[in-house]
Amino acid sequence: MILPRSVLSGLFHRCASLGDAGVAALKEAGDRTGGAAVSLLGDAPDALPAARFWALLDEILRKAGLGSVAFKPGGAASAAIAWRDSAEAAEGSTGEASGARCHFATGLLRGVLSRLAGRVVEVAEVRCGGGTEPCWFLIGSVETMQRVQAGGLSATGSGEH
């Protein structure tokens, strides 16, 4: 089931006003949405070549009106994902609501990737695009993410991609 953009927009605006509880709710909603999206990737999504997987995930997100994703392999067992809002979403997302979309995206990416991997895959936003530029997310194992964050890159900080 795909939620209308107006419902998602309302969810983002409402949760943005709830502080930490809203952030947690958005990440949980994203995680559940990501888990459900895995079934849209076919019978054996974990067997897909990486390029095909990212193209299918991008297609699903575009059709749902959530935007698009691009994958960039990284070093040290990590990678980055650029998430660009759809034109409609970017138009209505400013300030707190734009940040709310990023929390939802974090949960969605974690949900999809963790279910495919059969273990927890951490996702951390490292740069918010504010609705006009892509948001960047770093992905990796729990251990890899701890090493990266200990090296000075925080989930809300910025870094080169």
Side-chain angles (χ1 to χ4, degrees), residues 90-105:
E91 206 173 274
S93 290
T94 57
E96 289 181 346
S98 179
R101 292 183 64 78
C102 294
H103 297 306
F104 179 81

Side-chain angles (χ1 to χ4, degrees), residues 141-152:
S141 68
V142 173
E143 298 80 18
T144 298
M145 296 297 277
Q146 288 172 343
R147 283 194 309 268
V148 168
Q149 290 177 341

Side-chain angles (χ1 to χ4, degrees), residues 86-161:
S86 65
E88 297 89 352
E91 206 173 274
S93 290
T94 57
E96 289 181 346
S98 179
R101 292 183 64 78
C102 294
H103 297 306
F104 179 81
T106 299
L108 188 143
L109 292 169
R110 183 175 188 218
V112 167
L113 298 172
S114 293
R115 281 161 184 83
L116 287 178
R119 61 185 173 87
V120 175
V121 173
E122 290 296 324
V123 177
E125 181 188 4
V126 292
R127 186 183 308 160
C128 179
T132 58
E133 295 295 321
C135 294
W136 283 92
F137 298 87
L138 186 64
I139 62 172
S141 68
V142 173
E143 298 80 18
T144 298
M145 296 297 277
Q146 288 172 343
R147 283 194 309 268
V148 168
Q149 290 177 341
L153 183 63
S154 72
T156 58
S158 63
E160 290 299 314
H161 300 287

Side-chain angles (χ1 to χ4, degrees), residues 8-90:
L8 285 174
S9 178
L11 173 70
F12 297 145
H13 283 284
R14 175 74 176 122
C15 286
S17 68
L18 298 176
D20 290 343
V23 169
L26 285 166
K27 287 183 179 178
E28 180 180 344
D31 182 70
R32 289 181 182 196
T33 302
V38 170
S39 66
L40 300 174
L41 294 168
D43 293 333
D46 56 337
L48 291 170
R52 181 71 183 134
F53 165 77
W54 289 105
L56 281 172
L57 184 58
D58 181 62
E59 182 181 338
I60 290 167
L61 294 172
R62 285 176 188 267
K63 285 182 179 178
L66 293 172
S68 63
V69 293
F71 177 76
K72 181 178 178 182
S78 66
I81 299 171
W83 180 301
R84 182 176 294 277
D85 281 339
S86 65
E88 297 89 352

